[in-house]
Amino acid sequence: MQVVPSLDIQNGRSRLVWWPGASSGVGTPTDRPEVIAVALAELGAPYVHVVDLDGARLGRPANLTAIGAIARAVAKPLQLAGGVDGPEQIEIAFAAGATRIVLPLWSVAEDHAKLAQCLRIAGDWLAIGLDARPASLHDYPWRQRAEPGLDELVVELGDLGVRRFVFSHARTAPEHELVASLARRVDAEVMVAGGVSSLHDLLLLRDGGVAGVILGEALFTGAISLYEALEAVG
């Protein structure tokens, strides 16, 4: 299983300060995304996940300079979420230096033609981001169909060519079990983003068949060490 660090970018800077030596007073804190990405890559990160918070608000990639700086600084893939809602935004993201994309479910939930366009551009490097809470589907205004079950929807998207899924809000044991069961049912890479706060959680997801976990705040607060997490799942 992969353990992937995540950076939240706002106004060109990391929303959280990176200072792994805070407890002992060594090292220098930084909010420069490219500096943090280099540190994470040196610890063994397989790639870097970036959330463009401004892009999510604006509906298009916004922190292009920061994305480009990260891409130039590390020889690792860069996965972008936030502000990438369709084919035009994917092209902008790739031009800036991203190599993988997380597309929100709502942008293609009932538009299979749009999904096909996105897949033509990004191929297997396109992931669909979903909320692991089944009740989340109640909030979407389904217009062309009855509300599907989460498992039904994931299988359907897999049949349409989606080979990667990123589940957010998987914080409880039932949600972990749901994601693990979906990972076993679909011929696709299934990842969990957030909601993991211990090595125990990581191992449970690994043993359930989840391909990777994206860690953000847990790394910045020191709740989980990236090095120890990589060793634990290795």
Side-chain angles (χ1 to χ4, degrees):
M1 185 176 81
Q2 291 185 317
V3 179
V4 180
S6 176
L7 296 175
D8 290 352
I9 308 299
Q10 192 166 39
N11 297 321
R13 296 284 182 166
S14 170
R15 179 179 64 86
L16 298 173
V17 171
W18 174 254
W19 192 11
S23 60
S24 56
V26 299
T28 303
T30 181
D31 66 352
R32 289 176 56 190
E34 72 278 12
V35 174
I36 300 172
V38 168
L40 295 169
E42 290 175 347
L43 287 171
Y47 61 94
V48 179
H49 178 83
V50 172
V51 181
D52 185 345
L53 296 176
D54 302 302
R57 177 174 54 84
L58 296 172
R60 56 177 171 76
N63 286 288
L64 299 177
T65 299
I67 293 165
I70 295 171
R72 290 189 298 272
V74 297
K76 303 275 187 177
L78 192 162
Q79 178 169 278
L80 181 65
V84 187
D85 303 336
E88 297 84 1
Q89 294 95 330
I90 292 175
E91 290 176 341
I92 292 170
F94 281 170
T99 52
R100 303 182 183 196
I101 295 297
V102 180
L103 198 71
L105 169 68
W106 62 263
S107 68
V108 292
E110 294 187 285
D111 193 338
H112 293 174
K114 184 178 180 181
L115 175 59
Q117 284 183 290
C118 294
L119 285 167
R120 277 196 293 272
I121 298 169
D124 289 347
W125 300 125
L126 180 143
I128 297 295
L130 304 99
D131 192 317
R133 299 168 296 185
S136 67
L137 296 180
H138 299 332
D139 298 330
Y140 185 82
W142 300 98
R143 297 185 177 89
Q144 300 177 29
R145 62 184 297 176
E147 179 188 318
L150 187 58
D151 54 347
E152 173 191 350
L153 189 59
V154 169
V155 170
E156 178 182 301
L157 290 169
D159 289 342
L160 290 169
V162 176
R163 293 292 171 261
R164 303 178 68 238
F165 295 94
V166 176
F167 286 89
S168 61
H169 297 98
R171 294 191 173 95
T172 66
E175 289 157 359
H176 288 174
E177 291 168 4
L178 172 62
V179 173
S181 70
L182 289 171
R184 292 189 292 269
R185 288 187 60 190
V186 296
D187 181 21
E189 178 183 275
V190 172
M191 302 191 72
V192 169
V196 174
S197 57
S198 70
L199 294 180
H200 177 69
D201 291 340
L202 281 176
L203 295 176
L204 286 176
L205 289 169
R206 180 200 63 182
D207 295 343
V210 172
V213 170
I214 298 170
L215 297 177
E217 196 155 341
L219 294 179
F220 284 83
T221 62
I224 298 178
S225 157
L226 179 59
Y227 177 79
E228 291 177 354
L230 291 166
E231 286 287 304
V233 303

